[in-house]
């Protein structure tokens, strides 16, 4: 929807100038990322899913699966938009592991709370309300190789470096 809007505006400008020899320029095709990259359907889903209270575990399970699929569906867009350095496969594995960590929950209210939180975070990411660093730090926390501990200098080396006998 957002990519056709500039072209439609330019066409409308061309019709308004009827006598002009110039043709309206086409919309640029470069990688311009605009806010609100999610579809209207996704916005409605996010809005409705945040307002629902699950009556039982089977209903909450359907909502969890819906959130999981929506998140995985947007991983390529998130990788491109936020310039995440990790592969889509690695990002998918992080998301899957976070959902699996909570698979044991049986309290419907706790599950609903996590669904609402997940929907809000997904909405913030899709509307580009979060910064690049927030998204990258999120994946860094789970995927970054931890640096090695610095070795402690022994007493011998300390004395040697300080030129003490």
């Amino acid at each position: 929807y957002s990519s056709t809007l500039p072209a439609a505006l330019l066409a409308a400008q061309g019709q308004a100038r009827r006598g002009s020899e110039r043709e309206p320029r086409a919309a640029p095709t470069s990688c311009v990322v605009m806010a609100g990259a999610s579809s209207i359907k996704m916005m409605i889903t996010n809005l409705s899913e945040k307002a629902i209270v699950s009556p039982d575990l089977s209903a909450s399970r359907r909502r969890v699966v819906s959130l999981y699929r929506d998140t995985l569906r947007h991983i390529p867009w998130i990788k491109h938009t936020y310039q995440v350095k990790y592969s889509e496969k690695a990002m998918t594995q992080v998301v899957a592991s976070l959902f699996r960590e909570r698979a044991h929950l049986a309290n419907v209210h706790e599950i609903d709370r996590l669904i609402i939180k997940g929907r809000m975070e997904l909405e913030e990411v899709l509307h580009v309300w979060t910064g690049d660093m927030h998204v990258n730090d999120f994946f860094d926390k789970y995927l970054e190789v931890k640096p090695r501990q610095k070795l402690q200098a022994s007493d011998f080396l300390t004395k040697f470096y300080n030129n003490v006998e």
Side-chain angles (χ1 to χ4, degrees):
Y1 173 76
S2 61
S3 63
T4 60
L5 185 60
L9 288 174
L10 290 172
Q13 287 175 349
Q15 290 174 356
R17 289 187 266 149
R18 288 193 179 118
S20 176
E21 295 176 9
R22 285 192 212 160
E23 290 292 320
R25 286 188 277 160
T29 57
S30 65
C31 293
V32 175
V33 177
M34 300 177 78
S38 64
S39 66
I40 300 296
K41 180 183 175 193
M42 187 66 200
M43 287 176 22
I44 292 170
T45 302
N46 271 336
L47 190 62
S48 65
E49 288 287 328
K50 287 189 289 187
I52 295 175
V53 176
S54 302
D56 57 1
L57 278 176
S58 64
S60 65
R61 183 186 185 285
R62 284 192 302 271
R63 293 179 58 218
V64 168
V65 170
S66 172
L67 174 61
Y68 178 72
R69 287 180 180 167
D70 289 341
T71 305
L72 293 185
R73 189 176 299 125
H74 289 93
I75 282 182
W77 184 87
I78 292 168
K79 177 178 173 42
H80 173 74
T81 303
Y82 290 97
Q83 301 172 351
V84 179
K85 63 185 174 183
Y86 302 106
S87 68
E88 291 176 15
K89 183 177 180 180
M91 293 169 65
T92 302
Q93 289 173 347
V94 167
V95 170
S97 69
L98 291 173
F99 274 83
R100 277 191 219 105
E101 282 178 10
R102 304 279 192 327
H104 67 280
L105 292 176
N107 184 351
V108 176
H109 299 294
E110 180 71 14
I111 294 171
D112 283 345
R113 186 185 66 78
L114 290 172
I115 291 171
I116 291 168
K117 182 179 176 187
R119 285 280 172 197
M120 289 188 325
E121 288 181 12
L122 181 60
E123 183 179 23
E124 289 172 5
V125 168
L126 294 179
H127 285 290
V128 196
W129 293 338
T130 56
D132 291 352
M133 291 306 298
H134 292 107
V135 175
N136 283 302
D137 286 347
F138 173 80
F139 287 106
D140 283 346
K141 183 170 39 172
Y142 295 102
L143 294 172
E144 191 70 26
V145 177
K146 295 184 175 150
R148 292 183 178 179
Q149 293 288 335
K150 193 173 184 181
L151 295 175
Q152 297 293 329
S154 66
D155 287 337
F156 169 76
L157 288 177
T158 306
K159 289 178 184 177
F160 177 78
Y161 291 140
N162 292 331
N163 202 14
V164 177
E165 292 183 27

